[in-house]
Amino acid sequence: MKPDLFQALDYYNLDELLTDEHKMVRDATREFVKREVSPIIEQAAQDAKFPDQLIKGLADIGAFGPYIPEEYGGAGLDQISYGLIMQEIERGDSGIRSTASVQSSLVMYPIFKYGTEEQKKKFLPKLASGEMIGCFGLTEPDHGSNPGGMTTNFKDKGDHYLLNGAKMWISNSPFADIAIVWAKNEEGRIHGLIVERGMEGFTTPETHNKWSLRASATGELIFDNVNVPKENLMPGKSGLGAPLGCLDSARYGIAWGAIGAAMDCYDTALRYAKEREQFGVPIAAKQLQQKKLAEMVTEITKAQLMAWRLGTLRNEGKATSAQISMAKRNNVEMAIKIAREARQVLGGMGITGEYSIMRHMMNLESVITYEGTHDIHLLITGLDITGHAAF
Ligand code: TGC
Ligand code: FAD
């Protein structure tokens, strides 16, 4: 892969809206990605192997639980810092951002929000330091967009719960130490359970042959009469709103992350267009290539403004789920379109692993599907503005 010459795009001087802390956190993450992620990520994706040597560095830059309070091992940062960290990591690779998103918003967040003090003390510091990795099991083979239909269930056996069922498409499952599992009790009410590797009857087979998110490990969670201690149920919230509340936080992170992938594609295409000569001039001098590049810069700038505004609303506790859905949907679509256009700017070279664009493009096919598909987020906006659920 070519050396990482990335230069960030800030067409509307958005840096002026950031605090010194935001810029420091962002620059530290950018430096980490250049130093640790860029040199190894292409090979990891080609080999379809999660580069677990990155875990400690991700923990050190505060990517695990950026907004979780310091007393539990988190970085105690605000929502803009969290977003900027996701942006910079996804600039390197969506799969690495996935690991950080899942750890922060889908594992640490539910334990922090819905867990007991004992659960927080037991798990959060180890998750923040990367000593422990978690995953989040909501999706099932027959229930993806409609998680409320889940059949994974647990029965009260007096001194423990008996868990049965299966989850699929679970990021980090093959190597996770714990899984946040959403399952129905005997009354059909959804609860979150912390299932630990090593519990008898709990297995996590890996899903192979993905063309997307190849540097991220994806797998299943199988529960065959698993005895889960009662103290592993998170008591703070039940019902579908509990997992969906975690998704709000993760979807917000993706709205920023997708900007990172788009910025990397744009930056690569711009540099290539200035260097590559055809018909005696750089292709950047041709109107058709300028149209592509000018539209990319415009769309990235709009997405940056949306993410920044959403971050300020989240800092004030005012962002709605529907506002988050709109930003996730818009920014991921923006990124995937830019990846496709940027690849064309590179001609044949665009399909090789010499450049990051094709990897981003393939990754974004997962990003546009997980955490709620493109269609589902549109229907969430539809419900919000009309009052009619069309799911
Ligand atoms: P509905 O009846 O609308 O809602 C049920 C209850 O949930 C509440 N609620 C929310 N609460 C918090 N945040 C949200 N975003 C919420 N949306 C809804 C709602 O108020 C209600 O509460 P209550 O108290 O009245 O019971 O539920 P529905 O069954 O009609 O479904 C609505 C729908 C389709 C929007 C929802 O099911 C949905 O979002 N589906 C998409 C599923 C999804 O996003 N799955 C993601 C799996 S995790 C993942 O992909 C991780 S990838 C990680 C990575 O690698 O980065
Ligand atoms: P389906 O729900 O079957 O949807 C198929 C198609 O139908 C889609 O186009 C969808 O938009 C459309 N559709 C569905 N319902 C409607 C409707 N009402 N109206 C119109 N169109 C509709 N899940 C987890 O729980 N944890 C994870 O860590 C996780 N990681 C993932 C990692 C990867 C790489 C991938 C690909 C997925 C991951 N997922 C995870 C699962 C992801 O959230 C689901 O794939 C997603 O929610 C969609 O579910 P589905 O694949 O079953 O598609």
Side-chain angles (χ1 to χ4, degrees):
M1 196 174 155
K2 295 267 185 212
D4 185 349
L5 302 172
F6 175 71
Q7 285 186 328
L9 157 67
D10 185 14
Y11 204 71
Y12 263 34
N13 302 346
L14 283 166
D15 264 22
E16 291 174 12
L17 299 174
L18 303 180
T19 63
D20 288 344
E21 180 173 79
H22 293 150
K23 285 184 265 194
M24 197 180 72
V25 165
R26 180 199 58 196
D27 294 347
T29 313
R30 189 170 292 168
E31 184 49 39
F32 168 77
V33 169
K34 279 204 176 194
R35 196 181 61 244
E36 306 286 337
V37 179
S38 298
I40 56 101
I41 194 61
E42 178 61 27
Q43 198 56 48
Q46 294 282 358
D47 295 345
K49 188 179 176 312
F50 172 70
D52 53 12
Q53 69 270 30
L54 297 180
I55 286 176
K56 184 170 181 317
L58 286 166
D60 288 347
I61 58 165
F64 295 158
Y67 53 86
I68 299 291
E70 287 170 291
E71 62 172 306
Y72 296 114
L77 298 167
D78 75 350
Q79 290 291 315
I80 303 270
S81 288
Y82 165 47
L84 288 164
I85 291 173
M86 296 300 119
Q87 171 189 287
E88 294 303 318
I89 297 176
E90 192 146 0
R91 207 278 297 171
D93 190 81
S94 304
I96 309 303
R97 196 270 306 136
S98 266
T99 291
S101 288
V102 170
Q103 184 87 341
S104 302
S105 290
L106 300 181
V107 178
M108 296 178 73
Y109 177 83
I111 294 174
F112 175 65
K113 271 309 236 203
Y114 316 139
T116 62
E117 196 54 36
E118 290 69 36
Q119 289 167 347
K120 290 183 211 183
K121 288 201 176 110
K122 179 174 174 189
F123 295 111
L124 291 179
K126 287 185 178 166
L127 289 161
S129 69
E131 193 183 327
M132 229 179 214
I133 293 290
C135 66
F136 177 88
L138 182 65
T139 305
E140 298 188 351
D142 293 330
H143 300 96
S145 297
N146 176 28
M150 70 174 67
T151 57
T152 297
N153 65 89
F154 62 98
K155 292 188 169 56
D156 192 332
K157 292 290 175 185
D159 62 341
H160 67 273
Y161 296 119
L162 187 67
L163 178 66
N164 277 290
K167 302 284 176 181
M168 79 178 290
W169 294 120
I170 307 305
S171 301
N172 298 348
S173 93
F175 61 91
D177 301 286
I178 60 168
I180 302 296
V181 177
W182 301 95
K184 284 181 177 164
N185 68 9
E186 283 145 295
E187 287 78 50
R189 184 91 184 149
I190 294 171
H191 288 267
L193 299 165
I194 306 170
V195 179
E196 300 176 59
R197 187 171 293 284
M199 287 180 174
E200 208 176 322
F202 174 43
T203 49
T204 60
E206 183 157 1
T207 302
H208 295 289
N209 297 332
K210 291 181 299 168
W211 283 114
S212 174
L213 234 58
R214 288 174 62 80
S216 163
T218 313
E220 297 168 57
L221 301 174
I222 314 269
F223 315 106
D224 180 10
N225 286 318
V226 182
N227 289 349
V228 180
K230 285 202 154 169
E231 65 261 25
N232 281 28
L233 182 138
M234 293 181 292
K237 189 164 170 138
S238 63
L240 189 57
L244 291 179
C246 308
L247 291 180
D248 275 358
S249 179
R251 290 166 176 173
Y252 165 74
I254 291 176
W256 281 90
I259 296 171
M263 286 203 296
D264 198 50
C265 292
Y266 163 75
D267 182 60
T268 304
L270 178 65
R271 188 171 301 108
Y272 190 89
K274 286 177 173 172
E275 288 170 2
R276 175 71 174 169
E277 292 193 2
Q278 288 294 290
F279 299 95
V281 290
I283 59 171
K286 300 292 182 188
Q287 286 184 346
L288 285 175
Q289 304 313 316
Q290 289 189 6
K291 177 174 188 292
K292 290 189 181 79
L293 294 164
E295 285 176 352
M296 286 180 210
V297 123
T298 308
E299 292 307 315
I300 291 170
T301 302
K302 284 153 67 179
Q304 286 172 325
L305 286 164
M306 198 173 200
W308 179 83
R309 176 62 187 149
L310 189 61
T312 58
L313 287 174
R314 274 181 69 83
N315 277 342
E316 294 163 9
K318 291 200 279 197
T320 66
S321 300
Q323 287 171 331
I324 294 166
S325 278
M326 182 185 279
K328 190 268 184 184
R329 182 174 188 276
N330 182 78
N331 290 7
V332 176
E333 184 182 40
M334 171 280 299
I336 212 165
K337 282 183 174 165
I338 284 178
R340 288 170 186 156
E341 291 289 298
R343 200 220 51 78
Q344 290 191 58
V345 173
L346 269 67
M349 286 312 292
I351 71 152
T352 71
E354 285 291 295
Y355 297 90
S356 56
I357 297 176
M358 191 85 183
R359 180 167 44 80
H360 283 305
M361 191 200 300
M362 295 196 301
N363 283 342
L364 288 162
E365 292 293 340
S366 288
V367 182
I368 204 164
T369 294
Y370 66 33
E371 305 267 9
T373 67
H374 200 57
D375 296 329
I376 290 295
H377 288 297
L378 177 120
L379 295 175
I380 291 172
T381 306
L383 166 61
D384 197 46
I385 58 176
T386 68
H388 294 286
F391 304 114

